[in-house]
Amino acid sequence: MQQQYPQKAGIDLILKQAFSYWSKTFGLQLMFSIIYFGIYLSVFYYLGVKYEVIESFQTAFSEYQQEGQSGLEDFQTEIATIADTEGFQYFIFGMMAVRIFLYPLNIGFYQIYKKMDLNEEVGLNDLFAGYIGINFFKFLSFYIFWIFLYTIIGRTLILPVFWVMITIFAAPLMFFENKRIMEIIAIGWKALKTNFLEILICIFVALIFSYAGFLLFFIGFLFTFPFWNAMIYALYKNVLEQNIKEEERV
């Protein structure tokens, strides 16, 4: 008898589910953004003052405003000089470290969305699932690897996009299936070959919507920024989860 596999989910279904998860968790979306940007901007200000980065950029920009267009070349030279200082390098490394530390905060949404699917009660404590026990070190080490490789290939045009697409399922695969990095890449590559259009369009929509909040004087951004997680979970649920369960039955 010919084996039946789940049909491919339509893009409209994936988008509908993603917006549904997002719209039903407004309070948690806001708390996520307050925690995330509260820590990020606090570290930004602290390091910017400590290494005189903020003051240096303010001075350079003030001089450029005074000189006008004729001072553009001097302004560019000054910016390049600041970027080449040891203090600026420490500032960049510090900001990268805080991004790595904050990455596990995203994982909580996958637990929240799964609980919603199971009609279980969700709470603020679920938002910190990525920091509990081994999860913290697992997702921390993964993101260090992810961002390191992304930085290396960042100067190319296609490879960063490809890297995002092939690792789009990494977090839910690690959280729900306890997959390792090589397994994640293999699964992501297989999914990309059979669902390229769905993944590409969903990433594009998530990118546009996540940053659309800037149009509402930043306040809206606090709600739209975490939308990425809803889209990733909806993709995982419709593109991978059914196939994984089907393979386990075989």
Side-chain angles (χ1 to χ4, degrees), residues 20-30 109 112-113 116 122:
S20 177
Y21 288 126
W22 171 77
S23 65
K24 292 177 180 178
T25 54
F26 270 152
L28 293 171
Q29 309 280 345
L30 180 60
F109 278 114
I112 291 168
Y113 298 144
M116 289 171 60
V122 301

Side-chain angles (χ1 to χ4, degrees), residues 112-142:
I112 291 168
Y113 298 144
K114 174 63 73 173
K115 281 189 171 184
M116 289 171 60
D117 287 342
L118 299 174
N119 294 318
E120 297 179 2
E121 185 177 353
V122 301
L124 182 61
N125 59 311
D126 292 315
L127 198 58
F128 302 97
Y131 291 94
I132 297 175
I134 194 64
N135 282 341
F136 176 69
F137 301 100
K138 181 169 62 175
F139 289 109
L140 205 70
S141 59
F142 164 75

Side-chain angles (χ1 to χ4, degrees), residues 33 88 107 138 185 198:
S33 294
F88 184 78
I107 309 305
K138 181 169 62 175
I185 293 175
E198 290 84 353

Side-chain angles (χ1 to χ4, degrees), residues 80-130:
T81 301
I82 295 172
D84 197 43
T85 61
E86 185 178 13
F88 184 78
Q89 299 304 316
Y90 284 135
F91 172 78
I92 293 298
F93 285 131
M95 295 312 301
M96 184 177 294
V98 76
R99 282 182 60 192
I100 293 170
F101 173 78
L102 289 171
Y103 175 73
L105 191 62
N106 294 277
I107 309 305
F109 278 114
Y110 304 128
Q111 176 162 300
I112 291 168
Y113 298 144
K114 174 63 73 173
K115 281 189 171 184
M116 289 171 60
D117 287 342
L118 299 174
N119 294 318
E120 297 179 2
E121 185 177 353
V122 301
L124 182 61
N125 59 311
D126 292 315
L127 198 58
F128 302 97

Side-chain angles (χ1 to χ4, degrees), residues 212-229:
F214 274 125
L215 300 177
L216 299 175
F217 305 102
F218 187 77
I219 298 299
F221 184 63
L222 297 177
F223 292 96
T224 60
F225 177 70
F227 178 71
W228 262 108
N229 298 299

Side-chain angles (χ1 to χ4, degrees), residues 4-194:
Q4 299 295 320
Y5 290 93
Q7 295 182 348
K8 290 175 61 175
I11 295 175
D12 57 339
L13 175 61
I14 298 172
L15 294 178
K16 181 179 179 181
Q17 289 185 355
F19 278 102
S20 177
Y21 288 126
W22 171 77
S23 65
K24 292 177 180 178
T25 54
F26 270 152
L28 293 171
Q29 309 280 345
L30 180 60
M31 287 304 303
F32 171 93
S33 294
I34 290 175
I35 295 169
Y36 188 98
F37 289 109
I39 295 174
Y40 188 88
L41 293 177
S42 296
V43 175
F44 179 91
Y45 180 77
Y46 171 76
L47 294 178
V49 171
K50 178 179 176 63
Y51 296 111
E52 301 180 348
V53 172
I54 296 177
E55 181 180 355
S56 298
F57 275 106
Q58 286 178 334
T59 300
F61 186 72
S62 177
E63 292 176 352
Y64 171 65
Q65 285 185 312
Q66 292 176 1
E67 296 180 14
Q69 190 64 27
S70 60
L72 178 59
E73 186 174 344
D74 291 337
F75 175 71
Q76 292 173 335
T77 301
E78 183 66 20
I79 294 299
T81 301
I82 295 172
D84 197 43
T85 61
E86 185 178 13
F88 184 78
Q89 299 304 316
Y90 284 135
F91 172 78
I92 293 298
F93 285 131
M95 295 312 301
M96 184 177 294
V98 76
R99 282 182 60 192
I100 293 170
F101 173 78
L102 289 171
Y103 175 73
L105 191 62
N106 294 277
I107 309 305
F109 278 114
Y110 304 128
Q111 176 162 300
I112 291 168
Y113 298 144
K114 174 63 73 173
K115 281 189 171 184
M116 289 171 60
D117 287 342
L118 299 174
N119 294 318
E120 297 179 2
E121 185 177 353
V122 301
L124 182 61
N125 59 311
D126 292 315
L127 198 58
F128 302 97
Y131 291 94
I132 297 175
I134 194 64
N135 282 341
F136 176 69
F137 301 100
K138 181 169 62 175
F139 289 109
L140 205 70
S141 59
F142 164 75
Y143 195 62
I144 291 173
F145 169 77
W146 189 94
I147 202 170
F148 174 75
L149 191 55
Y150 183 87
T151 303
I152 292 177
I153 63 178
R155 295 183 178 180
T156 63
L157 182 62
I158 301 298
L159 289 180
V161 178
F162 178 75
W163 181 235
V164 171
M165 293 179 72
I166 205 172
T167 57
I168 192 72
F169 302 108
L173 282 173
M174 292 172 64
F175 188 62
F176 296 121
E177 311 293 337
N178 199 30
K179 298 294 185 182
R180 297 182 179 182
I181 183 62
M182 296 310 297
E183 294 176 299
I184 289 169
I185 293 175
I187 293 172
W189 171 243
K190 183 178 179 181
L192 190 60
K193 289 191 295 182
T194 55

